[in-house]
Amino acid sequence: MPHPGTHDSALVAISILIAAAASYTALDLAARMRATTGWPSRAWLAAAAIAMGGGIWSMHFVAMLAFSLPGLEVGYDLRLTLLSLALPIAVTGLGFVVVNRPGAGRSALCLSGLVMGLGIAGMHYTGMMAMRMPADLRYNRLWVGLSILIAIGAAVAALWLAFQQTSVKLRLLAAAVMGFAVSGMHYAAMQGSAFSAYAPVDHAHGTAGVNQTYLALWVTGTTFLILVLALAAAMFDRHLSEASEHEAVALRASEERFRLLLQGVRDYAIFMLDTEGRIANWNAGAERIKGYTAEEIVGSHLSRFYTPADLQHGAPALALETSAREGRFEAEGWRMRKDGSRFWANVVIDAIRDEQGLLVGYAKVTRDITERKQAQEALDQAREALAQAQKMEAVGQLTGGVAHDFNNLLMAVLGSLELLRKRLPDDPKLTRLLDNAVQGAQRGAALTQRMLAFARRQQLKPEAVDLPQLVQGMTDLLQSSIGPQIRIETRFPLGLPRVLVDAHQCELALLNLTVNTRDAMPEGGTITIAGRQAGEEDAVDLPEGRFICLSVADTGSGMDAATLARAQEPFFTTKGVGKGTGLGLPMVQGLAAQSQGLLTLRSQVGEGTTAEMWFPMAEAGAQAETVNAAPSPRMSSRSLAVLVVDDDPLVLENTAAMLEDLGHYAVEARSGQDALDLLDRRQGLDLVITDHAMPGMTGTQLAEQIARAHPGLPVILASGYAEVSSERTPVLPRLSKPFDQGTLAQVIANAVHGAEISSKIINFRSRAATLDCSGASRDAHQK
């Protein structure tokens, strides 16, 4: 007969709570499964399957314990009970595995839900089969089908929720719904079950010996303990994951900032090397400086940047070895870019070690300091040029002073020899000795002129000079000076403008350069003398203005760099002893500089030498001066009283002797002040001849004083210095030291003649002014 069963309401509530708690725990563990990979993900999958499947079984078992048949003893078969426990765990794990696969779609979700739902329903009916009681059990098909559908729906929902990003609130809501759904499946199946009692308990199948309520509470407690432990593990893992994620985010942010910092640095090439010296990364500065992109260079060895010479000496390996041994390597040198060009680099390589001190790589920083090196080289060159200029200035001052004093000595020697010639008897032996002495003194005078030219203290008379005409007039002289083995070629363009230069000194400079080329071609060759205007291709440091180049090129042996650098130094010569003074090129350089121009030399060993003299172009319309032959020396028409002023006793005495030999009366003064005192005390002096370079008062200053105190008294200035022309004085007759008696007589005659003409002009102007005043008085009287 049918036997109606009853349910313990407290145990029913506990079973529903177990189902909800199991669902929430499974969803939470599934979230951990999604957040991990590898074996942790598989471990969380197993835990989620045990929580879900085991929780469903616990709900079912507690619900079965909540069901009782009054008057009947109910027991459970242990093997079937354990089978009913394993079944939901297995199908739940299988469902999670299928749905967790990459690319799993709706079909996989539905299929897994179907299998999982059937497994859960099978768990229920397997548990029902495990019941042992004195009654028959039958099922209502409608309720069985409904329970299976509920199980499948709950399984699909569980799988879908397990792999969604849900919040805690949604997860709680989903757990409650699933708890009621799973419980609803159980109680729907129980609703379709019918029990018919018959004989007393079947002892052959055994009975349970434990109280159902106690057993239900024990299963409930165990289940909740397992679920709480699983949630605690998930919570702890989530905390660790969040901490790790925060650290990872912070690390990524730090790495990103570091990457942005490195990429933002464009003045430094910063990159890492592994222990073998291969490049691990590359910043924007490295790409800018070296020309390689990261894709082109990462993985290459750092030796790619070194020059062939450095590679031959093993520089890359030495740099890494030094850095590994000392912790740091720093050096400067040439490095190669991608395009093959070189740059001067400052390189720093730091060794990178881990916490245990093991070498893990190198950090390399490279700076392009080519501009700094060029600036330093330019500064060194400027300092060298300044030192050279100061040395040349000092040598020039010394040379000019020596030449001035030597001029005075030669003045006394030549003057005395000339007077001695007039007093010696006509003896050929004495005449030959006297000629030798005069010739030696004249060679000394020529050397002095060269020294003054180098010191830029010679007196120049710049004029408009036609260079082709000047060279043509010197061709015979030049050819005779160099011999028949050397051929001279001239190259001048038509219409070449004239230059502003002292023609006589330019001839001497050209002769000097030609003789130098002869010495450079002992076996013969060709000398090319050419002229041209300065163009843009002429990279010479010329002053402002337009310039003409007069060049002398030979096909001789040429000079090496060391010789070329010293070629213009005074007294430097490569010729043998007695074959050169070392003042030829310095004289030419002095002439060019004093003419506001420049001398440049270009030479290579075996290819000859080219000397270029740059002179300023003469103003348009300037005419070339013609040099008339000087009239023969003559005595002044009358005897003159001449005041001779010189601080050198030898020159003073020699000049006075030449004047007296010419028939004049000489009065001597040792300084400018002595001369002024004599002029104040004595009357009747007709002429003053004064030296320029004197202590206390120069000759030009003395001339100014005489012009104010004794107007009309002619003054002749005797000097070898060019500085005279730089002072603001009236134009005075000049005597260039050393001078001979004939030159002295000619200058005196010209000075006296000029003074007489000036006096007549002044008298004429004074008489005319007097007549104008008389006429004006008569007109006023008549009116």
Side-chain angles (χ1 to χ4, degrees):
M1 54 180 286
H3 195 294
T6 61
H7 286 85
D8 187 332
S9 57
L11 295 180
V12 169
I14 290 174
S15 68
I16 296 175
L17 184 61
I18 291 174
S23 299
Y24 179 84
T25 303
L27 293 178
D28 192 69
L29 297 179
R32 303 310 311 142
M33 176 182 62
R34 293 193 309 271
T36 57
T37 57
W39 70 265
S41 177
R42 291 190 291 272
W44 288 117
L45 184 147
I50 292 173
M52 188 73 179
I56 292 174
W57 178 86
S58 296
M59 178 279 302
H60 162 76
F61 193 75
V62 170
M64 290 298 294
L65 293 176
F67 177 76
S68 62
L69 295 172
L72 294 178
E73 291 289 337
V74 180
Y76 295 92
D77 183 88
L78 181 59
R79 289 177 296 177
L80 291 177
T81 301
L82 294 177
L83 178 61
S84 67
L85 172 62
L87 190 59
I89 294 175
V91 296
T92 301
L94 178 62
F96 283 157
V97 168
V98 173
V99 178
N100 192 43
R101 289 186 308 171
R106 294 181 179 179
S107 58
L109 176 64
C110 294
L111 180 61
S112 300
L114 175 63
V115 173
M116 183 175 171
L118 292 176
I120 292 173
M123 175 272 302
H124 172 78
Y125 289 105
T126 302
M128 295 291 288
M129 290 174 59
M131 294 179 66
R132 294 293 180 260
M133 55 187 173
D136 294 328
L137 176 61
R138 292 190 303 274
Y139 297 100
N140 186 304
R141 294 180 179 179
L142 179 61
W143 285 104
V144 170
L146 180 59
S147 66
I148 293 175
L149 290 177
I150 293 175
I152 294 173
V156 172
L159 292 176
W160 182 77
L161 289 172
F163 295 94
Q164 302 300 313
Q165 298 291 341
T166 56
S167 63
V168 176
K169 291 182 179 180
L170 291 178
R171 202 177 302 150
L172 287 172
L173 179 61
V177 173
M178 287 183 62
F180 280 102
V182 171
S183 301
M185 177 275 301
H186 173 81
Y187 290 108
M190 291 301 293
Q191 184 66 30
S193 302
F195 297 90
S196 298
Y198 56 90
V201 176
D202 186 3
H203 295 284
H205 293 83
T207 61
V210 182
N211 184 276
Q212 289 184 234
T213 300
Y214 292 154
L215 182 60
L217 292 176
W218 181 84
V219 171
T220 301
T222 303
T223 302
F224 273 102
L225 177 62
I226 294 173
L227 295 179
V228 168
L229 291 176
L231 286 174
M235 185 181 301
F236 182 72
D237 182 71
R238 183 177 289 106
H239 176 73
L240 291 179
S241 297
E242 289 176 355
S244 300
E245 182 64 23
H246 289 319
E247 292 179 0
V249 170
L251 180 61
R252 285 194 297 270
S254 176
E255 291 177 347
E256 181 64 16
R257 287 193 298 269
F258 184 68
R259 187 188 67 82
L260 292 176
L261 174 63
L262 291 184
Q263 291 300 323
V265 175
R266 299 187 60 83
D267 293 333
Y268 294 80
I270 305 175
F271 51 94
M272 303 294 295
L273 304 172
D274 63 13
T275 55
E276 301 298 325
R278 289 184 294 270
I279 298 167
N281 54 28
W282 199 245
N283 79 326
E287 182 174 345
R288 185 189 69 83
I289 293 175
K290 304 196 176 189
Y292 295 95
T293 63
E295 292 76 12
E296 294 173 322
I297 201 66
V298 170
S300 301
H301 197 268
L302 84 158
S303 59
R304 193 167 185 172
F305 310 128
Y306 284 75
T307 62
D310 288 339
L311 292 176
Q312 187 175 2
H313 291 88
L318 179 62
L320 295 180
E321 179 184 348
T322 303
S323 178
R325 183 179 65 254
E326 301 180 3
R328 176 184 174 87
F329 171 82
E330 183 172 3
E332 292 184 3
W334 290 110
R335 294 294 183 269
M336 305 296 295
R337 292 190 176 95
K338 178 183 177 182
D339 58 7
S341 62
R342 300 192 308 169
F343 66 98
W344 189 258
N346 172 266
V347 178
V348 177
I349 303 178
D350 288 316
I352 307 300
R353 300 183 180 276
D354 59 13
E355 296 179 354
Q356 288 73 34
L358 297 177
L359 181 68
V360 296
Y362 304 90
K364 189 170 186 290
V365 180
T366 302
R367 282 192 302 159
D368 182 356
I369 57 172
T370 306
E371 292 183 359
R372 191 182 77 180
K373 177 179 174 60
Q374 293 173 347
Q376 184 62 42
E377 291 176 348
L379 179 60
D380 293 341
Q381 291 174 358
R383 288 174 176 169
E384 183 179 352
L386 177 60
Q388 181 69 9
Q390 291 173 338
K391 182 181 77 171
M392 296 296 285
E393 180 66 22
V395 173
Q397 291 178 357
L398 174 63
T399 304
V402 171
H404 173 264
D405 293 340
F406 195 38
N407 254 341
N408 287 338
L409 297 176
L410 292 174
M411 176 71 215
V413 172
L414 286 172
S416 299
L417 290 175
E418 189 171 7
L419 294 176
L420 183 61
R421 184 188 295 277
K422 294 181 179 182
R423 290 166 173 75
L424 286 176
D426 190 11
D427 185 346
K429 292 183 178 180
L430 294 177
T431 303
R432 186 170 61 253
L433 293 175
L434 187 61
D435 290 341
N436 288 341
V438 171
Q439 186 178 0
Q442 289 175 344
R443 289 178 63 181
L447 177 60
T448 304
Q449 290 300 314
R450 287 191 177 188
M451 295 171 69
L452 287 173
F454 161 70
R456 306 178 194 176
R457 296 184 179 183
Q458 63 181 343
Q459 182 184 1
L460 298 181
K461 296 179 180 178
E463 56 185 296
V465 175
D466 188 336
L467 289 180
Q469 184 178 351
L470 182 142
V471 174
Q472 184 179 4
M474 292 184 63
T475 303
D476 293 338
L477 173 62
L478 296 177
Q479 189 66 64
S480 63
S481 300
I482 61 178
Q485 291 183 324
I486 300 176
R487 184 166 54 92
I488 297 178
E489 293 183 357
T490 57
R491 298 176 184 175
F492 290 94
L494 295 176
L496 183 68
R498 293 172 176 170
V499 298
L500 191 63
V501 69
D502 186 311
H504 177 64
Q505 296 296 332
C506 185
E507 290 176 346
L508 289 179
L510 185 59
L511 180 61
N512 249 311
L513 293 176
T514 306
V515 172
N516 279 347
T517 59
R518 177 201 64 188
D519 296 337
M521 298 185 294
E523 297 181 359
T526 302
I527 297 176
T528 303
I529 303 175
R532 71 177 190 278
Q533 293 192 52
E536 295 181 356
E537 68 279 3
D538 294 308
V540 290
D541 189 14
L542 291 170
E544 293 293 331
R546 295 182 297 172
F547 288 81
I548 303 296
C549 174
L550 176 62
S551 63
V552 178
D554 63 57
T555 57
S557 56
M559 294 181 285
D560 57 23
T563 304
L564 182 63
R566 301 190 59 193
Q568 298 186 47
E569 291 185 8
F571 309 111
F572 174 78
T573 179
T574 57
K575 302 176 183 178
V577 177
K579 295 184 179 180
T581 62
L583 285 174
L585 284 176
M587 184 273 288
V588 179
Q589 189 268 345
L591 168 66
Q594 198 171 352
S595 301
Q596 311 304 317
L598 189 69
L599 171 67
T600 60
L601 296 176
R602 292 184 287 107
S603 182
Q604 287 187 359
V605 177
E607 298 184 8
T609 302
T610 300
E612 296 179 338
M613 294 184 291
W614 296 88
F615 298 116
M617 188 185 301
E619 295 293 335
Q623 299 296 324
E625 296 185 10
T626 57
V627 181
N628 297 322
S632 58
R634 60 184 176 86
M635 293 286 292
S636 178
S637 59
R638 61 186 177 88
S639 179
L640 303 174
V642 182
L643 175 59
V644 183
V645 187
D646 202 306
D647 63 318
D648 191 318
L650 293 177
V651 177
L652 183 63
E653 183 179 352
N654 184 78
T655 305
M658 286 194 292
L659 286 170
E660 291 175 352
D661 187 66
L662 291 171
H664 302 299
Y665 174 69
V667 180
E668 299 178 5
R670 295 290 185 90
S671 66
Q673 188 59 49
D674 290 346
L676 292 176
D677 294 341
L678 282 172
L679 287 171
D680 291 337
R681 294 195 308 266
R682 297 190 58 167
Q683 301 294 326
L685 291 174
D686 303 306
L687 179 66
V688 177
I689 299 176
T690 178
D691 185 26
H692 170 65
M694 296 185 298
M697 183 184 299
T698 65
T700 53
Q701 293 171 344
L702 174 61
E704 291 177 356
Q705 296 280 355
I706 293 174
R708 287 194 293 267
H710 306 278
L713 180 61
V715 178
I716 297 175
L717 196 64
S719 178
Y721 262 31
E723 280 82 349
V724 178
S725 61
S726 65
E727 299 189 14
R728 298 178 179 178
T729 60
V731 178
L732 299 174
R734 294 288 301 276
L735 265 175
S736 297
K737 292 182 178 181
F739 53 84
D740 56 18
Q741 192 176 33
T743 304
L744 176 62
Q746 180 63 45
V747 173
I748 291 175
N750 292 338
V752 172
H753 181 65
E756 291 174 351
I757 293 176
S758 298
S759 179
K760 290 179 180 179
I761 293 173
I762 292 172
N763 291 335
F764 175 77
R765 289 177 177 173
S766 177
R767 191 175 302 168
T770 303
L771 291 175
D772 288 342
C773 290
S774 299
S777 298
R778 285 197 305 270
D779 292 342
H781 180 70
Q782 290 173 359
K783 289 180 181 180

